[in-house]
């Protein structure tokens, strides 16, 4: 176990105005009550998550996590918020995140027309020079130009930005976190930290009574600020533009509110340009102002009053200095945002200079939201721990994007090198609401996509924030954001999607029936009538299926429970269990549509991941994103007919193939029927839930031709596939899975998945025949007696006068397909289908039998089979005509009249 000592870091000037212990005691009585008792508990306490640092970001993480039902412990060394606020401006995106925990209304939002404006002045009361713009917006042609300081009203969000001093906002978030059940321990300092494969141990010091304790956690969030003792102790380095300046500031109040008049012209920030004073004055809009010295002149504390008057340009103002501060103007990004079970968020992960885009705290609050839902999913066993690796994969590039944007824009261009000046600047709306995530938890964020674009420019691409629209749901008008920022949700229409989502516990919103403006949302999500869009709990699009032109390269990973045995654990392709009687078995399975190809693909992806993990291979953070082929939906491939419910294993020397031999067919009405160049079908064994068996178990599936078969492009079908199961396979319920890979004339490679109905493996060995009487009974009624093999052998002998008639169902289906019907349409009414097939069998047999030139007639799956199915339900046909017994006697009488 690695033990890391954390040294207390003194951050800037020590604040002499801390809350006293007594005041704190009255403010948080429960914190002090039973302190000794709590200490006892701390010694042995284990919690799911510890957050270190109770600044804006740590508190946000606590609120986001607690709102999802996991109670974190937050450790903060100070008694409350710093007296000297720093942040003031919060983006619409931050407010969207706060909206998800019902905080939006508690935080005053800025007027829609508000723009943060800065002007260069000699002094506030003196000469005014030009306005300095934060960014140069791109014109229609993408060139820099124009004013570029965005009015938040232009944002396609239900929220406005907010302007509130950090020390006023922190208590609001803290209260919300406490309401959700977070355990916030102030005056407590983390002094050292250790982690191993199982957990993280934190050693704590109570700064009031000096007692020492420790706590263990499954995961730790380090929100411990830019000098992050945890990051330093972990040895994580930082890169970036680096340290530029140390800035000293004075927080003051002008008692007669005389400074307010300078805001009337619409400016809130003033750059003071005097030969002996370079400074910056801004307001927290609550009566407090701050002066920041941008020069390097050393000043005595007694000089501040005079300097403030110089900056304002007036002597007739009364100044009350509240406190002074000191902070580093630096741009530094941690080289990794996670190490084992510890995750860096906020300034600990990225220190960004203050700017008018508000990249510091806002980026940190988004970090907190990103890691919060992932930790909760993993702790609640809804996701595998690998999901956590996507935190660094998603958030670090955003930090870098913002880092680079700062230097590409006017405010800091003086600090940028030549490269910084050349960098593309993204629109503010793109930076706030339109950044793109790429990670293993996003599928289909193509490499051609830009790192950010405005919400209007996006069209539901995976990796982007799902769009905001006002929609009507029942009587209420809500923002779409309210539908998806709390958990996973699938936007779709149609039962097949709902079924697939339901087995994973993913709620669905039916765009046709649940919403009144579903069509508009469908357009925004970039999907069509049969498409679907899967939205993550942070409101980002994880994956989508457009519909007729759906990208289907990959599907999201890591969102289901981890376990070594995918067959047992992937509770994914669960189907209705076959009914008890034979009719139930037949019809339920017969009607069961294959799962959407994408979902099966998903299962397969997960299975591959599981297998690789089991083999001890590491899984890369981000999957390879290949170009997106397009396919039709539903899958145009089908199994010609279901497998029999009972199958047998094949012992050495035996050839008991799975029956009937599966035939994969392509729907002739599909566009693929004319554009397919080459197609192969690979078969594998699935468990009863539809998840592939482990690789070594796949060896129990055997075919003399291997496991890959060609699907004839001319005939739109495979030959019957001969596969058998070895005698060593355990007796259980199984399915066959078929992966169809085809190449189109246009050079695209498409992949589809089919799954068969479930079948039982019944017995160990061929039943013994005693005195010519077959042993039968429940569990011993396998229909396989090798007759297909026998018939094929007889056919090969080519004996004159011997007629062999194969599979009337196949002939019937082919005939109907020639007439333009799809397989679904042919099988839509199962009763009608089976009746038709049986009628034809009877007619054919009658016809053959009525001709005396036909000496021997051998039927594969003739009347007795159909009768058996029909009879199981009391008979499709009148029992006196076509009961099994009647049919057999009838046939025997006709074929062997003298016996
Ligand atoms: C002048 C100025 C203006 C700014 N304006 C904006 C703005 O308008 N918008 C914006 O988005 N950003 C702004 N920022 C940036 C913003 O203030 C920071 O990004 C943000 O405060 C970082 O929050 P944090 O929670 O990550 O870190 P902090 O606020 O630094 O919190 C870290 C906490 O961890 C605690 N801690 C540290 N070590 C330990 C330990 N060992 N044990 C227990 N607790 C510990 C500390 O006491 C502290 O409370 C501004 C910054 C400056 C300097």
């Amino acid at each position: 176990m690695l033990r890391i000592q954390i040294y207390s870091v003194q951050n800037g000037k020590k604040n002499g105005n801390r809350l006293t212990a007594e005041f704190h005691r009255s403010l948080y009585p429960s914190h002090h009550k039973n302190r000794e008792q709590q200490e006892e508990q701390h010694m042995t306490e284990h919690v799911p998550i510890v957050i270190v640092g109770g600044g804006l970001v740590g508190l946000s993480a606590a609120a986001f996590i607690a709102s999802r039902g996991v109670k974190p412990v937050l450790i903060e060394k100070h008694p409350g918020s710093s007296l000297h606020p720093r942040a003031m401006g919060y983006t619409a995106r931050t407010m969207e995140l706060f909206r998800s925990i019902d905080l939006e209304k508690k935080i005053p939002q800025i007027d829609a027309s508000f723009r943060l404006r800065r002007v260069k002045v000699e002094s506030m009361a003196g000469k005014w020079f030009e306005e300095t713009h934060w960014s140069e917006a791109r014109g229609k042609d993408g060139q820099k130009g124009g004013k570029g300081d965005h009015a938040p009203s232009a944002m396609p969000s239900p929220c406005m930005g907010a302007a509130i001093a950090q020390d006023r906002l922190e208590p609001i978030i803290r209260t919300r976190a406490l309401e959700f059940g977070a355990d916030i321990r102030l005056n407590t300092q983390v002094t050292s930290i250790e982690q191993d494969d199982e957990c993280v141990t934190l050693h704590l010091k109570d700064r009031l009574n000096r007692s020492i304790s420790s706590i263990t956690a499954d995961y730790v969030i380090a929100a411990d600020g830019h000098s992050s003792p945890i990051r330093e102790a972990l040895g994580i380095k930082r890169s970036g533009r680096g340290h530029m300046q140390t800035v000293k500031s004075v927080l003051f109040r002008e008692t007669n509110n005389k400074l307010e008049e300078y805001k009337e012209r619409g400016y809130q920030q003033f750059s003071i340009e005097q030969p002996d004073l370079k400074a910056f004055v801004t307001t927290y809009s609550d009566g407090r102002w701050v002066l920041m010295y941008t020069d390097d002149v050393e000043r005595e504390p007694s000089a501040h009053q005079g300097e403030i008057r110089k900056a304002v340009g007036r002597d007739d103002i009364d100044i009350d200095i509240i406190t002074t501060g000191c902070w580093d103007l630096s741009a530094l990004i941690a080289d990794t945002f996670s190490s084992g079970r510890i995750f860096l968020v906020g300034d600990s992960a990225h220190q960004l200079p203050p700017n008018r885009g508000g990249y510091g705290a806002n980026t940190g609050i988004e970090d907190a939201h990103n890691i919060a839902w992932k930790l909760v999913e993993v702790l609640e066993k809804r996701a595998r721990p690998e999901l956590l690796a996507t935190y660094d994969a998603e958030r670090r590039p955003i930090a870098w994007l913002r880092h680079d944007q700062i230097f590409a824009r006017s405010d800091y261009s003086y600090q940028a090198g030549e490269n910084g000046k050349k960098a593309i600047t993204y629109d503010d709306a793109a930076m706030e609401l339109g950044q793109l995530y790429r990670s293993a938890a996003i599928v289909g964020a193509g490499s051609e996509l830009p790192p950010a674009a405005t919400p209007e420019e996006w069209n539901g691409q995976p990796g982007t924030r799902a769009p905001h629209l006002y929609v009507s749901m029942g009587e209420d008008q809500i923002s779409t954001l309210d539908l998806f920022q709390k958990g996973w949700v699938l936007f779709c229409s149609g039962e097949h999607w709902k079924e697939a989502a339901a087995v994973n516990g993913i709620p669905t919103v039916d765009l046709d029936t649940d919403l009144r403006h579903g069509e508009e949302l469908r357009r925004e999500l970039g999907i069509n009538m049969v498409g679907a869009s899967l939205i993550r709990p942070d409101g980002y699009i994880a994956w989508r299926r457009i519909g007729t032109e759906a990208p289907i390269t990959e599907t999201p990973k890591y969102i289901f429970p981890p376990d070594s045995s995918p067959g047992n654990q992937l509770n994914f392709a669960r189907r209705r269990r076959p009914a008890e009687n034979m009719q139930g078995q037949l019809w339920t399975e017969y009607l069961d549509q294959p799962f959407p190809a994408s979902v099966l693909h998903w299962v397969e992806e997960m299975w591959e991941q599981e297998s690789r993990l089991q083999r001890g291979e590491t899984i890369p953070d981000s999957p390879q994103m290949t170009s997106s082929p397009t396919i039709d939906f539903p899958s145009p491939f089908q199994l010609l007919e279901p497998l029999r419910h009972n199958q047998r294993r094949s012992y050495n020397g035996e050839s008991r193939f799975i029956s009937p031999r599966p035939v994969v067919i392509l729907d002739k009405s599909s566009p693929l029927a004319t554009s397919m160049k080459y197609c192969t079908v690979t078969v594998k064994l699935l468990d009863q839930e539809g998840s592939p068996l482990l690789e070594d178990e796949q060896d129990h599936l055997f075919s003399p031709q291997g496991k890959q078969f060609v699907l004839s492009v001319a005939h739109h079908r495979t030959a019957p596939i001969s596969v058998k199961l070895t005698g060593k396979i355990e007796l259980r319920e199984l399915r066959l899975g078929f992966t169809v890979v085809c190449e189109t004339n246009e050079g695209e490679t498409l992949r589809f998945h089919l799954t068969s109905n479930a079948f039982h493996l019944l017995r160990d060995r061929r039943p013994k025949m005693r005195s010519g009487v077959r042993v039968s009974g429940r569990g011993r009624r396998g229909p396989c007696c090798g007759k297909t093999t026998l018939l094929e052998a007889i056919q090969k002998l080519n004996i004159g006068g011997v007629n062999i008639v194969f599979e009337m169902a196949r002939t019937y289906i082919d005939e109907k397909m020639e007439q333009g019907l799809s397989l679904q349409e042919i099988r839509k009414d199962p009763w009608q289908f089976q009746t038709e097939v049986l009628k034809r069998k009877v007619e054919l047999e009658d016809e053959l039998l009525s001709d005396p030139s036909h000496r021997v007639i051998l039927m594969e799956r003739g009347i007795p089979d159909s009768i058996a199915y029909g009879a199981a339900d009391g008979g499709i046909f009148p029992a006196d005509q076509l009961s099994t017994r009647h049919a057999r006697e009838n046939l025997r009488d006709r074929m062997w009249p003298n016996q």
Side-chain angles (χ1 to χ4, degrees):
M1 190 184 267
L2 180 66
R3 186 180 174 114
I4 305 160
Q5 191 68 36
I6 294 185
Y7 300 97
S8 172
V9 178
Q10 205 66 53
N11 191 356
K13 269 201 170 176
K14 195 159 180 168
N15 210 316
N17 223 338
R18 299 279 184 220
L19 294 175
T20 63
E22 272 319 303
F23 178 49
H24 185 258
R25 199 179 293 275
S26 63
L27 210 55
Y28 302 102
S30 62
H31 178 72
H32 294 269
K33 209 169 96 198
N34 301 328
R35 188 75 205 170
E36 294 75 20
Q37 220 176 317
Q38 284 184 23
E39 266 171 36
E40 274 293 313
Q41 285 168 12
H42 291 179
M43 298 302 288
T44 52
E45 195 178 10
H46 179 85
V47 295
I49 299 173
V50 166
I51 300 161
V52 183
L56 267 183
V57 177
L59 288 168
S60 301
F64 293 142
I65 290 167
S67 74
R68 291 175 191 269
V70 170
K71 309 267 161 39
V73 170
L74 184 146
I75 309 286
E76 165 57 52
K77 65 181 177 186
H78 289 128
S81 296
S82 164
L83 205 62
H84 191 329
R86 287 167 289 157
M88 160 75 180
Y90 307 93
T91 61
R93 179 59 187 158
T94 293
M95 293 306 290
E96 287 180 356
L97 302 181
F98 286 147
R99 180 187 172 101
S100 73
I101 52 169
D102 297 329
L103 264 191
E104 183 201 13
K105 293 212 170 69
K106 302 215 162 123
I107 302 168
Q109 295 186 45
I110 44 182
D111 187 82
S113 59
F114 178 84
R115 282 194 300 140
L116 188 60
R117 294 174 70 189
R118 182 180 298 177
V119 60
K120 242 185 221 174
V121 297
E122 181 192 34
S123 69
M124 290 163 76
K127 213 190 271 173
W128 283 33
F129 308 117
E130 77 279 6
E131 176 174 0
T132 55
H133 294 288
W134 143 240
S135 62
E136 298 164 287
R138 285 176 295 161
K140 281 206 169 102
D141 55 359
Q143 296 303 306
K144 287 182 179 183
K147 301 227 162 113
D149 297 338
H150 255 277
S153 57
M155 302 291 186
S157 166
C159 303
M160 297 296 156
I164 176 174
Q166 186 164 346
D167 61 337
R168 304 271 154 92
L169 178 57
E170 283 178 2
I172 298 175
I173 308 172
R174 193 182 299 128
T175 306
R176 194 76 185 117
L178 288 166
E179 283 166 2
F180 282 127
D183 180 351
I184 297 182
R185 300 178 190 175
L186 302 176
N187 283 311
T188 311
Q189 182 171 359
V190 176
T191 52
S192 69
I193 188 167
E194 314 151 16
Q195 69 169 324
D196 59 23
D197 289 347
E198 301 293 312
C199 68
V200 187
T201 306
L202 300 107
H203 300 277
L204 312 176
K205 185 172 85 188
D206 187 311
R207 306 223 310 179
L208 293 180
N209 64 19
R210 323 297 298 170
S211 65
I212 288 169
S213 62
S214 60
I215 185 169
T216 61
D218 293 327
Y219 297 102
V220 165
I221 294 178
D224 51 350
H226 69 92
S227 46
S228 177
I230 294 184
R231 185 195 62 233
E232 295 300 303
L234 288 168
I236 298 172
K237 300 266 174 294
R238 294 190 290 171
S239 321
R241 175 69 183 75
H243 179 265
M244 290 167 276
Q245 197 183 358
T246 298
V247 180
K248 294 176 184 105
S249 61
V250 192
L251 185 72
F252 66 96
R253 205 181 292 277
E254 191 282 300
T255 37
N256 298 316
N257 283 340
K258 286 185 182 164
L259 300 193
E260 292 301 312
E261 66 178 88
Y262 302 110
K263 283 164 60 187
E264 281 165 14
R265 283 162 70 179
Y267 297 96
Q268 306 81 22
Q269 302 190 328
F270 305 87
S271 299
I272 312 296
E273 298 283 333
Q274 294 176 24
D276 55 350
L277 178 65
K278 299 270 178 286
F280 178 74
V281 177
T282 188
T283 175
Y284 285 101
S285 291
D286 55 6
R288 292 181 297 173
W289 291 76
V290 64
L291 176 128
M292 299 177 196
Y293 299 106
T294 51
D295 53 32
D296 289 330
V297 179
E298 279 300 322
R299 291 174 175 88
E300 289 299 316
S302 58
H304 294 320
Q305 293 257 3
E307 298 292 46
I308 293 169
R309 289 203 172 88
K310 258 171 88 177
V312 174
R314 288 169 69 159
D315 288 331
D316 62 339
I317 49 171
D318 289 333
I319 297 158
D320 176 14
I321 292 183
I322 305 166
T323 188
T324 55
C326 172
W327 50 275
D328 288 332
L329 187 71
S330 297
L332 286 163
I333 315 284
D335 290 349
T336 174
F337 282 12
S338 65
S339 169
R341 293 172 167 270
I342 303 171
F343 301 89
L344 310 183
V345 296
D347 277 16
S348 153
H350 42 72
Q351 189 179 359
L352 297 168
N355 63 59
R356 281 183 276 175
Y359 289 166
N362 288 297
T363 312
I365 292 165
E366 288 172 34
D367 295 341
H369 194 261
N370 187 293
I371 191 64
W373 75 264
K374 290 174 181 172
L375 283 174
V376 172
E377 290 292 294
V378 170
L379 285 165
E380 302 270 300
K381 306 233 178 305
R382 289 191 295 266
R384 304 193 303 181
E386 288 87 341
L387 175 67
L388 302 176
T390 67
Y391 167 68
D392 175 73
E394 290 176 2
R395 293 305 304 168
R396 198 148 48 90
I398 299 296
W400 272 110
L401 177 69
R402 292 184 170 182
H403 172 284
D404 294 347
Q405 283 298 295
I406 286 174
F407 297 105
R409 290 166 185 256
S410 318
D411 277 3
Y412 284 92
S413 56
Y414 73 101
Q415 288 280 3
E418 273 314 300
N419 285 347
K421 283 188 186 137
K422 278 190 226 140
I424 299 172
T425 50
Y426 293 97
D427 199 279
D428 280 354
M431 292 305 295
E432 283 185 30
L433 300 165
Q435 60 209 8
L436 178 82
Y437 283 162
R438 286 196 178 90
S439 78
I442 302 278
V443 177
S447 53
E448 75 288 356
L449 299 176
T454 62
E456 296 83 20
E457 287 167 318
W458 289 125
N459 185 224
Q461 286 89 344
T464 63
R465 163 187 162 278
H468 149 72
L469 274 185
Y470 282 112
V471 288
S472 302
M473 204 169 196
E475 295 299 301
D476 305 323
Q477 215 204 23
I478 54 164
S479 163
T480 44
L481 263 55
D482 302 330
L483 294 171
F484 43 61
Q485 290 208 135
K486 297 198 162 88
W488 288 92
V489 63
L490 187 77
F491 283 81
C492 59
S493 346
E495 288 308 311
H496 53 285
W497 285 120
K498 288 188 194 166
E499 244 178 63
V503 291
N504 288 289
I506 297 176
T508 52
V509 173
D510 191 312
L511 291 163
D512 289 328
T513 56
D514 292 339
L515 300 178
R516 238 173 288 152
H517 305 286
E519 196 44 50
E520 211 179 318
L521 181 56
R522 187 180 275 132
R523 255 199 317 277
E524 293 283 323
L525 290 168
I527 57 175
N528 72 15
M529 298 293 290
V530 292
S533 184
L534 181 65
I535 317 290
R536 309 192 316 184
D538 57 353
Y540 272 75
I541 300 167
W543 166 89
R544 77 171 163 180
R545 184 75 181 270
I546 292 176
T548 50
E549 295 188 340
I552 183 149
T553 47
E554 313 258 349
T555 41
K557 299 181 185 103
Y558 308 142
I559 67 165
F560 297 108
D563 199 86
S564 54
S565 160
N568 292 334
Q569 293 298 321
L570 298 178
N571 181 23
F572 198 83
R574 191 189 299 286
R575 292 175 168 219
R576 286 167 287 165
R577 289 194 72 80
E580 276 309 304
N581 66 29
M582 201 169 167
Q583 177 229 349
Q585 288 169 6
L586 176 68
W587 300 127
T588 309
E589 290 172 7
Y590 201 66
L591 286 175
D592 240 352
Q593 294 299 312
F595 275 79
S598 54
V599 173
L600 289 170
H601 189 120
W602 190 344
V603 172
E604 189 178 58
E605 286 287 339
M606 293 173 66
W607 168 65
E608 276 171 10
Q609 297 281 348
E610 297 273 11
S611 308
R612 287 168 61 186
L613 278 178
Q614 277 177 6
R615 291 197 299 269
E617 290 177 20
T618 48
I619 296 182
D621 287 347
S622 307
Q624 284 274 308
M625 296 296 174
T626 52
S627 69
S628 304
T630 57
I631 60 164
D632 276 344
F633 183 81
S635 164
F637 292 94
Q638 299 279 307
L639 275 187
L640 183 62
E641 55 188 330
L643 304 179
R644 294 196 177 193
H645 188 63
N646 296 327
Q647 304 281 350
R648 289 190 305 169
R649 301 183 289 194
S650 194
Y651 291 90
N652 274 350
E654 293 178 341
S655 277
R656 293 193 188 115
F657 292 106
I658 295 225
S659 168
R661 292 177 205 218
V663 175
V664 177
I665 61 164
L666 169 66
D667 186 341
K668 286 181 195 159
S669 62
S670 145
L672 255 186
T674 49
S675 66
M676 196 167 69
K677 200 165 106 194
Y678 185 72
C679 185
T680 57
V681 176
T682 313
V683 60
K684 65 171 64 152
L685 270 177
L686 314 179
D687 67 11
Q688 61 169 348
E689 314 284 6
S691 300
L693 300 191
L694 294 176
E695 264 174 310
D696 49 351
E697 287 183 279
Q698 293 294 343
D699 294 340
H700 294 311
L701 183 75
F702 175 79
S703 167
Q705 290 101 43
K707 289 185 189 171
Q708 198 176 68
F709 304 85
V710 174
L711 186 140
S712 156
V713 173
H715 298 101
H716 303 116
R717 62 196 289 172
T718 60
I721 294 172
S722 303
V723 278
K724 59 186 179 181
L725 297 168
T726 70
K728 289 190 183 137
I729 193 162
E730 177 195 330
L731 287 178
R732 59 198 283 201
E733 199 170 64
L734 294 168
R735 293 172 193 267
L736 290 186
F738 301 87
T739 305
V740 183
V741 179
C742 50
E743 206 183 304
T744 65
N745 293 328
E746 289 75 42
E748 283 175 322
T749 304
L750 307 177
R751 203 142 84 121
F752 303 86
H753 294 265
L754 306 180
T755 192
S756 77
N757 55 299
F759 55 85
H760 285 289
L761 285 177
L762 277 189
R763 58 181 169 229
D764 275 346
R765 290 196 174 274
R766 188 192 294 274
K768 291 212 169 70
M769 303 291 272
R770 268 190 279 121
S771 323
V773 179
R774 174 181 253 197
V775 178
S776 69
R778 195 165 169 76
R780 294 196 159 255
R781 285 186 305 189
C784 305
C785 59
K787 60 183 183 297
T788 308
T789 319
L790 177 70
L791 294 183
E792 281 172 355
I794 293 173
Q795 194 180 32
K796 275 190 201 144
L797 292 175
N798 202 12
I799 305 166
V802 176
N803 290 287
I804 297 174
V805 179
F806 283 102
E807 278 300 11
M808 185 53 70
R810 285 184 198 171
T811 323
Y812 174 70
I813 289 171
D814 281 352
E815 197 181 299
K816 290 284 168 195
M817 284 181 130
E818 289 295 345
Q819 292 165 15
L821 292 182
S822 69
L823 194 62
Q824 278 101 337
E825 286 165 334
I826 299 165
R827 286 177 165 173
K828 204 164 113 208
D829 183 344
W831 295 99
Q832 194 230 329
F833 173 78
Q834 282 295 336
T835 308
E836 195 56 45
V837 170
L838 189 51
K839 264 188 192 156
R840 283 169 175 241
K841 284 179 180 173
V842 172
E843 278 165 23
L844 180 71
E845 289 184 29
D846 281 345
E847 189 192 320
L848 291 169
L849 290 169
S850 64
D851 184 346
S853 67
H854 295 145
R855 285 192 295 129
V856 182
I857 301 154
L858 300 166
M859 308 263 187
E860 194 207 358
R861 305 191 65 194
I863 289 174
D865 262 15
S866 299
I867 296 294
Y869 288 139
D873 189 52
I876 302 171
F877 297 100
D880 59 336
Q881 281 179 37
L882 283 169
S883 72
T884 310
R885 193 162 158 227
H886 174 91
R888 282 201 180 141
E889 281 170 3
N890 195 359
L891 286 171
R892 193 185 54 211
D893 288 348
R894 287 205 245 169
M895 289 179 77
W896 298 282
N898 301 324
Q899 286 182 18

